[in-house]
Amino acid sequence: MAAEGPNSPVSGAARNELQEALRPLLSRARLLSSTRAMAWTVAGTLIALVLVKAAALLLGPTLPLITTAILIFAAAASAIAVVATAPDALSVARNVETHAGLEERLSTALEHLEEDSVVVTALLDDALARAKSLDARLALPWRWPVAALVASVLAGSALFSLDSYSKRVAASPAESIRRTPVTALDSNALLDLAEAVDADARAGQDAYLAAVAASLREIGHELRAGAPSTDVRPALDAALEHLARAYRSDLGGMELAQQLLADTERVARAATAEEASAPARPRPPGITSSPEEFEASPLARDLQDLLGEMEANPYAVAQASPSEQAEGQAVAGNLLTPEMLEQLSSAPSQPLTEPADGPGDIIGAASESGAGASQLAGRGSQELFLEGVDGPEAQFSGVERSLLSGPERDEGRRIEMVLPTSVAVGSATELELVVGEWTGGPEASLERDVVPELYRAAAGRYFLPSQAVGGATR
Amino acid sequence: MTSDAADANGARAELGRDLELLARARQELGQVFIGHDDVVDQLLVCLITSGHALIEGAPGLGKTLLVRTLADVAGLKFSRIQFTPDLMPADITGTMVLVYDEDGRASTRFQAGPLFGQLVLADEINRATPKTQSALLEAMQERTVTVAGTAHAMLSPFFVFATQNPFEMEGTYALPEAQVDRFFYKVAIEYPNEDVLDAILDETTGSGLEKARQVLAPADVERLQGRVREVPIASHVRRAIARFVRSTLPDLQGNDPRVRRYVRFGVSPRGGQALVLAAKAHALLAGRFNVSLADVRRAVLPALRHRFQLNFEGLADGVNADALLLELYDAQAREAVVG
């Protein structure tokens, strides 16, 4: 086989021309590669930023030096990747011949440029002719670096979200409050907070936030009323937790929380209704059920004490003339006359007929009061006791007026009766007559007329519904 | 014009003539052996790579006709041996015979057997005993036959084209792996489709039978055999072949689980050599001066299907060895392109 020498004009020209023909392809390939690498540089830097931001949120503020180092590292790694992945002539040839259907002509020719063989020379000519006919734009078409762009967009979105989230968390009042010990809170601060949160809720029409504000306000009122902090703390913690949750941008989570809240309330209402319709629970030991027992009970004793003190107090409205009584009624609207209280305490009792048969049945002392006499009772109130009377300022010297007032507490099982002390004493001490915690067994009934009009609605939530008892209406 | 340039032009012209000869040989073969262009190409590949071929096909598909036509087209001395169970080695290699000269003196002389041709058709080779089959080994590999201590060189070029029937297994002796590996190509002749069969019936049952003309001389064949080896191959294509050959080995960690489970033995380095050489020949047949990945793919099955054998489990599970081979190659070819 005839072979040509290395200095053959034919082969030498073909070699130079082939390299020349591949130059535009090489330039375009490098341009495309650089563009792709730049896109990845941006994406890599953004991803690094996201990681730094997330680390700052999770682990606390990071050192600026570390942040800068990470960013520089990301940018440097991307730049190195650009240089390292820069295509050479052989890789460009392989890429082009794959897409242009040249069947490895270019790469084989490039690799065998220096060989002296008639077959190689023929290959060089063939490759040269085909390389010349190539359009660089068609052979190496522009392709968007989709993966890098998607990564950049995702990283940018994550960065924006993290930024918004961090600002919101920083601005959340819940965070500052949660850092403050609950014991240091006073009612004013809490009410101020409730107002602020309520304003936010109104501005944003945020039902969840409004519910949290209402809860905070209620707790603030309780604090202001001197409620024991041991009761308030768990509720306050829960409210602050909800507050922190409400201020986050997790809309789905908020909706879910609202749904859960609604479900909880619905379940609670259902439980209350079921409890109202359920038979009376058996009374615990020590609960009075007969006139004798009732007379010996603390309730009767307390009532007797009250009566005695009212009669001894010349300034009591109940002791005043009918005109003064009318005036007192006009002022207070909830006067309990001595007759009422006497009637209340002296009402005969009858043995209980428990357990009751069902909703609407006459139960407890109501069924015992066959003469229709009134008995002070709640739905299962057994004990009336005094609180806050042991201090020097709480000297109980008389009753000016009696009120059924105050917030409904402990799921409606307790009525707070505020009985201001004697006018003569002028003390601001308030007495709370609190119906005991046990609410299962009714001991007495309270006639409708005894309860002032203003408080009938409230009292109706704690007393059994009105029922005809021996011609009287409870 | 300088002498160098004149030489170069002359060499180019000779290369062009060689390609034209190949094209004409292909055309002549295609006129007689209708509808099987791939089979024609494979036999031409064997011709220009100095490779032996094992032709497998059902009776009546024209195996003998194909080989005889190839001998006619290439101008090779054709020799046919019908292998039977009682065929002895001496029957094919030849033996020493006693001869008398004019003076009546006796002497021994080597009487060459039918193996001494240029294109030997070993028809139904699997019907002969292993002893006779192995008599072909030396001739195929060393191109010599030793009889009575004397080595006799085969004619050049020398080819053994053996045929075997894949269906009739009774009374046959399967070729041992060592002997199968001596065959450069295993050519599978499939049953023709309807159009091809129609053309065959038309061409072969008329009054004027098509006869192939000789377009090559043995010297042309030898020159083409040298030309094939000059065809360059890109490094990534060669690397893909090396990886592919290794990927067929069942004992190699990391290979395809199917290979590890179903393959009895994979492709030998000789198989890899055959693949490269065959790919070069396919490139020349396509009029190209370099090996492409597609050329290699064309050569995968004929060059390797007899060098890649499934184990019993693979056969029992109905694993398609040809499909597995192509799949393994395609994986390596893709990787070579991606780089």
Side-chain angles (χ1 to χ4, degrees), chain A residues 1 103-104 111-112 125, chain B residues 12 227 230 235 290 293:
Chain A
M1 178 179 299
E103 298 189 291
E104 285 74 43
E111 286 185 356
H112 296 82
D125 291 341
Chain B
R12 289 295 296 275
R227 188 78 82 191
E230 288 183 27
S235 60
N290 70 294
L293 289 166

Side-chain angles (χ1 to χ4, degrees), chain A residues 421-443:
Chain A
T421 53
S422 164
V423 175
V425 173
S427 168
T429 302
E430 294 178 345
L431 297 178
E432 291 181 335
L433 291 176
V434 181
V435 177
E437 292 181 359
W438 174 251
T439 60
E443 287 299 321

Side-chain angles (χ1 to χ4, degrees), chain A residues 1-4 8-9 94 97-98 103-105 107-108 111-112 117-123 125-126, chain B residues 7-8 11-12 14-15 226-227 230-237 288-294 298 337:
Chain A
M1 178 179 299
E4 57 185 296
S8 160
R94 286 179 187 167
E97 66 196 8
T98 301
E103 298 189 291
E104 285 74 43
R105 283 182 172 89
S107 57
T108 311
E111 286 185 356
H112 296 82
S117 152
V118 64
V119 177
V120 169
T121 306
L123 170 64
D125 291 341
D126 186 22
Chain B
D7 289 347
R12 289 295 296 275
E14 191 177 357
L15 177 62
R227 188 78 82 191
E230 288 183 27
V231 174
I233 180 171
S235 60
H236 69 287
V237 177
R288 203 169 350 92
F289 306 107
N290 70 294
V291 176
S292 71
L293 289 166
R298 268 182 224 114
V337 170

